[in-house]
């Protein structure tokens, strides 16, 4: 299949590119090579037979050119992470939402009807919680005064007891709690509108915490695993926010790449049109402290320091059920946490 891969020179996109090529697809890459993702001296290493269109996904003419002859799109291009604060909102909205709108408009004009969209678990906000007395309940937004006092766990809105976290399914209510999360949900909503109006098919992959080779280092947009590793390479202890017990689902980037290839195949056999969301996680929840500790052991560096610091836009616990991806995409994560972290500890990162 002839595929346009946006963001195909980036961290996740470069692994998706390799996976699609290995599966026999013909791939064209559209990537503007933002310094925040690639470092200030970006120099993509793409296979010789892959065409690179070095333009912005918000450039309608460039997108139209890149879509020529294409049968499907795998859309990875995005700004990621919490960034530096509210001042990042225009860039997040511009790259993630305007960029997606331009892409979808040009896909409609070009007659391309299959899309794999890189979404995120951040659309859920807090994860699934239950109360011993009141059953499943939504976690209210955490209050700054509680966080400052070291009260990190969400409490039941009815009885104020601490809640027990569980696995989130794709049917869970969405509740984005920071600017980045809001833009990822908007991407899904725009894609759903496009699908309804054009008869298109969308597989929205809600990535959980992706880590692995080629992560960007030392930028405000880097993932927590890369931030911890960078500290260890400087001989410093990883600094862990809150109490380190925040639950996440860390999934290795090679598994995420395979999920994209599986989702692309699914778009060719899906009945009808519309958007279908899939959680993409390892299925083995870990804490942020686990990641810091495992990396410190693998590198032989100082033990993590738990700081008690917090970011208001962070959520406490969010971990996935990937049962739908297993059943419908035929995909499941293969890389165990310890093996993935051990490899990540010595893998090349992107300079920032």
């Amino acid at each position: 299949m002839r595929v346009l891969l946006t963001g195909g020179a980036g961290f996740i996109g470069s692994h998706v590119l390799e996976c699609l090529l290995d599966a026999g697809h013909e791939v064209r890459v559209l990537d503007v090579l933002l310094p925040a993702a690639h470092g200030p001296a970006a120099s993509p290493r793409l296979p010789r037979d892959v065409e690179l269109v070095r333009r912005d996904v918000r450039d309608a003419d460039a997108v139209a050119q890149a879509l020529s002859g294409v049968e499907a799109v795998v859309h990875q291009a995005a700004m990621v992470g919490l960034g530096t604060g509210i001042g990042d909102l225009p860039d997040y909205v511009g790259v993630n939402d305007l960029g997606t709108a331009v892409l979808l408009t040009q896909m409609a004009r070009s007659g391309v009807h299959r899309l794999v969209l890189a979404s995120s678990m951040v659309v859920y906000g807090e994860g699934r919680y239950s109360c011993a007395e009141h059953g499943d309940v939504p976690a209210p937004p955490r209050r700054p005064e509680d966080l400052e006092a070291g009260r990190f766990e969400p409490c039941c809105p009815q009885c104020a007891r601490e809640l027990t976290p569980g696995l989130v399914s794709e049917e869970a209510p969405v509740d984005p709690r920071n600017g980045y999360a809001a833009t990822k949900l908007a991407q899904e909503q725009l894609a759903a509108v496009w699908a309804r109006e054009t008869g298109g098919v969308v597989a929205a992959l809600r990535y959980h915490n992706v880590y692995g080779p080629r992560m960007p280092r030392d930028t405000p947009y880097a993932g927590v695993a890369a931030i911890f590793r960078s500290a260890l390479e400087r001989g410093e202890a990883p600094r862990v926010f809150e109490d380190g017990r925040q639950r996440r689902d860390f999934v290795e980037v090679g598994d995420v790449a395979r999920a994209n290839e599986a989702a692309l195949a699914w778009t060719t056999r899906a009945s009808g049109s519309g958007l279908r969301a899939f959680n993409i996680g390892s299925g083995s929840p870990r804490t942020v402290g686990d990641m810091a500790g495992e990396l410190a052991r693998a590198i032989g560096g100082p033990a993590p320091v738990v700081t008690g610091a917090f970011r208001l836009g962070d959520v406490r616990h969010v971990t996935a059920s990937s049962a739908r991806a297993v059943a419908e995409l035929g995909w499941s994560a293969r890389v165990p946490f310890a093996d993935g972290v051990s490899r990540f500890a010595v893998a090349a990162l992107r300079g920032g």
Side-chain angles (χ1 to χ4, degrees):
M1 188 185 307
R2 292 184 299 279
V3 180
L4 174 63
L5 173 60
T6 73
F11 161 45
I12 296 175
S14 64
H15 290 273
V16 174
L17 173 61
E18 291 172 355
C19 192
L20 293 178
L21 293 174
D22 287 345
H25 298 290
E26 179 183 336
V27 186
R28 178 183 296 142
V29 168
L30 174 69
D31 199 312
V32 73
L33 303 178
L34 287 173
H38 299 272
S43 179
R45 301 174 185 172
L46 302 182
R48 286 186 211 169
D49 55 347
V50 173
E51 178 188 356
L52 171 64
V53 180
R54 188 170 179 173
R55 301 283 290 277
D56 196 306
V57 73
R58 293 168 287 187
D59 182 333
D61 291 338
V63 172
Q65 170 194 336
L67 284 167
S68 177
V70 160
E71 300 166 88
V73 174
V74 178
H75 184 30
Q76 306 290 319
M79 279 188 67
V80 300
L82 277 181
T84 60
I86 201 73
D88 278 335
L89 275 179
D91 288 335
Y92 276 113
V93 172
V95 174
N96 296 353
D97 298 338
L98 177 58
T100 297
V102 171
L103 174 66
L104 293 171
T105 298
Q106 296 305 321
M107 288 176 67
R109 291 174 177 170
S110 301
V112 180
H113 298 296
R114 291 193 286 271
L115 173 65
V116 178
L117 173 67
S119 187
S120 173
M121 54 81 180
V122 295
V123 301
Y124 298 118
E126 288 285 354
R128 178 185 174 193
Y129 292 91
S130 62
C131 170
E133 182 176 350
H134 297 102
D136 284 354
V137 295
R142 297 190 294 169
R143 301 182 304 172
E145 55 267 34
D146 288 335
L147 298 173
E148 289 167 358
R151 295 189 294 268
F152 301 121
E153 294 294 342
C155 294
C156 177
Q158 300 179 56
C159 67
R161 293 181 182 176
E162 283 192 6
L163 297 173
T164 301
L167 298 180
V168 181
S169 76
E170 292 86 350
E171 303 307 319
V174 290
D175 183 19
R177 298 196 175 184
N178 57 62
Y180 167 61
T183 67
K184 296 307 288 184
L185 179 57
Q187 284 185 301
E188 287 195 18
Q189 293 171 330
L190 290 168
V193 170
W194 167 84
R196 283 194 299 272
E197 295 193 6
T198 66
V201 178
V202 185
L205 304 186
R206 292 175 175 170
Y207 300 159
H208 282 248
N209 289 70
V210 187
Y211 72 98
R214 304 176 209 148
M215 284 188 83
R217 67 162 89 228
D218 299 332
T219 88
Y221 311 94
V224 67
I227 292 169
F228 290 158
R229 198 186 117 169
S230 294
L232 287 161
E233 289 177 342
R234 295 191 300 267
E236 301 170 4
R239 296 179 62 80
V240 181
F241 280 11
E242 301 187 18
D243 58 3
R245 297 176 184 170
Q246 310 94 300
R247 286 162 54 97
R248 298 291 187 266
D249 188 326
F250 293 99
V251 58
E252 208 271 341
V253 68
D255 281 331
V256 173
R258 290 192 305 102
N260 277 268
E261 197 278 322
L264 181 62
W266 174 86
T267 65
T268 68
R269 63 177 186 271
S271 58
S273 61
L275 181 145
R276 185 78 163 156
F278 298 93
N279 286 333
I280 302 300
S282 72
S284 300
R286 301 282 178 164
T287 68
V288 174
D290 288 339
M291 172 58 81
E294 193 72 29
L295 265 177
R297 284 188 291 273
I299 292 175
V305 173
V306 176
T307 67
F310 63 89
R311 298 186 299 181
L312 193 57
D314 278 335
V315 297
R316 180 60 176 174
H317 306 295
V318 56
T319 55
S321 167
S322 296
R324 178 183 289 180
V326 173
E328 298 183 21
L329 303 183
W331 171 90
S332 61
R334 296 175 181 170
V335 180
F337 180 72
D339 292 349
V341 173
S342 180
R343 289 200 291 268
F344 174 62
V346 296
L349 301 185
R350 292 172 186 263

